[in-house]
Amino acid sequence: MRCRWRCLLYIPVCLVVLLLACELLLQLGALVVHGQSRLVPAQWLTGNTRVLALGDSNTYGLYLKEEESWPAQLQQLWNNEHTSSPIEVLNLGYPATNSFRVLDNLPTLLDKLSPDAVIIMVGFNDFWTPLETLHPANWQQKIESWTKTHSRVYRLYAIASRSKIRQQDMVFGSPRDISKLDLSKRETHLVKIKDGDEFYLGSLAGEPAQNRQALPNNLQAMIAITRQYHAQVYFMTYPSNWGFYPGANKWIKTVAQQKNISLIDITPLFIARCPDGAVSCGDLLFHDGHATAKGNALVAKTVAEQLRINR
């Protein structure tokens, strides 16, 4: 009897030792690869190269059908031209969200979706949405976060399991029809995934706040977090450069330059075609500066070119 119980106790101990041994080997392997003179292209165990698009209604594709948004058009454009190396683009842009909300959700989204690259276009709503206080993590959450961002065993698990989630598995609470969009209701800001997880991506409307003062710090924090998850990070400017958009575009470009990350600057493309603002190019921009389906096609083409260069 004692031998039986002793053997049962050995099982969890052996499992822990095995996990630690695997972790050590993977960490050593990572150091060897990192020390090479050139980087070895990563080949995921499952699924295609995954790109995560984050931002507000300009990424979401307000007024448009889902397939007309630039992330959806990017995926179709790339895969038509690169049949041997397809990509998978997940659109998690959300109307009325700001940099506080994107930053708050970023670690969970990176852990859940395990993207190869993250494209972020956010900041416009920081000029009018209320300041949000993000609660610091407790010690348990900090340990969990450290494990997820540093453990190679966990990273291997995340890579293997990420193919279970697709764009069609996400249900957006916010309707694409602007006439039915009620920003005062919290449930319209929820994104639900088929496995039961929910993400609150919106930002409730309120009194104007000096959020723009925190925008550069939030953008810098997004870069640091994304790099911890070993994903390539891109910043992208807005199509429009009128109203509050110039302020957001300024900080997006400034932080990208300061932190030496890839910038996809689409603003000049639209300025060249729309010298007098949205009224001068109704085929590319709606009256409020959101890109039309044709405008989103221009964005998708520009993003594809940048990804092709970096690849």
Side-chain angles (χ1 to χ4, degrees):
M1 180 66 69
R2 289 183 179 179
C3 181
R4 181 181 301 175
W5 283 109
R6 189 178 302 168
C7 292
L8 289 176
L9 290 174
Y10 283 155
I11 293 177
V13 173
C14 291
L15 288 175
V16 171
V17 172
L18 180 60
L19 284 174
L20 291 175
C22 290
E23 183 68 41
L24 179 61
L25 289 174
L26 289 171
Q27 293 289 355
L28 290 174
L31 288 174
V32 171
V33 173
H34 185 71
Q36 301 299 314
S37 59
R38 63 183 178 86
L39 295 178
V40 179
Q43 179 65 47
W44 292 109
L45 299 180
T46 59
N48 303 324
T49 297
R50 174 170 286 181
V51 179
L52 182 59
L54 296 178
D56 49 40
S57 54
N58 290 270
T59 298
Y60 176 78
L62 198 63
Y63 310 118
L64 305 174
K65 298 177 181 177
E66 183 178 341
E67 61 271 18
E68 293 176 328
S69 66
W70 71 258
Q73 293 198 59
L74 169 63
Q75 177 175 298
Q76 183 177 10
L77 174 64
W78 180 280
N79 292 345
N80 287 341
E81 296 179 353
H82 304 81
T83 55
S84 61
S85 56
I87 65 173
E88 178 186 26
V89 185
L90 299 181
N91 183 358
L92 279 177
Y94 215 80
T97 199
N98 58 28
S99 66
F100 292 89
R101 184 53 50 196
V102 172
L103 176 59
D104 188 39
N105 281 285
L106 188 56
T108 306
L109 293 175
L110 292 172
D111 177 61
K112 183 78 176 180
L113 304 175
S114 189
D116 303 275
V118 181
I119 303 175
I120 301 173
M121 176 172 57
V122 73
F124 169 75
N125 291 318
D126 285 46
F127 287 79
W128 66 272
T129 50
L131 185 70
E132 298 196 37
T133 302
L134 304 181
H135 301 288
N138 55 41
W139 65 270
Q140 291 177 322
Q141 292 174 327
K142 289 181 179 179
I143 293 176
E144 181 182 356
S145 176
W146 187 93
T147 301
K148 290 178 178 179
T149 55
H150 293 86
S151 171
R152 299 286 173 174
V153 171
Y154 183 85
R155 186 65 179 163
L156 192 63
Y157 161 77
I159 292 172
S161 63
R162 73 175 191 166
S163 60
K164 297 179 181 179
I165 301 175
R166 294 283 185 257
Q167 185 74 47
Q168 55 266 32
D169 297 326
M170 301 178 186
V171 178
F172 286 69
S174 180
R176 290 189 173 272
D177 184 354
I178 189 67
S179 64
K180 299 178 181 179
L181 187 62
D182 186 355
L183 297 180
S184 65
K185 295 182 178 179
R186 187 181 188 280
E187 59 269 21
T188 63
H189 295 283
L190 289 176
V191 171
K192 299 181 180 180
I193 299 181
K194 67 176 183 179
D195 61 4
D197 280 357
E198 294 182 348
F199 299 97
Y200 175 61
L201 297 182
S203 179
L204 298 179
E207 293 298 321
Q210 302 298 316
N211 289 7
R212 61 184 180 274
Q213 296 180 357
L215 177 57
N217 292 333
N218 289 347
L219 293 174
Q220 291 175 20
M222 292 177 204
I223 296 172
I225 292 172
T226 306
R227 284 173 170 170
Q228 287 179 355
Y229 282 83
H230 311 289
Q232 178 76 24
V233 58
Y234 297 82
F235 277 0
M236 185 160 68
T237 57
Y238 286 93
S240 179
N241 201 44
W242 297 270
F244 287 146
Y245 286 110
N249 288 332
K250 168 194 171 184
W251 282 118
I252 290 171
K253 291 189 288 186
T254 299
V255 174
Q257 183 178 15
Q258 290 174 346
K259 294 299 182 179
N260 193 29
I261 67 164
S262 299
L263 174 68
I264 306 175
D265 192 4
I266 62 173
T267 309
L269 301 176
F270 285 85
I271 291 179
R273 294 165 172 80
C274 313
D276 297 320
V279 295
S280 59
C281 58
D283 60 327
L284 294 178
L285 294 174
F286 290 109
H287 66 283
D288 58 1
H290 288 85
T292 63
K294 185 177 178 180
N296 273 263
L298 179 60
V299 174
K301 181 180 178 181
T302 306
V303 174
E305 291 174 353
Q306 184 66 57
L307 293 179
R308 189 180 300 112
I309 292 173
N310 282 19
R311 186 170 183 137

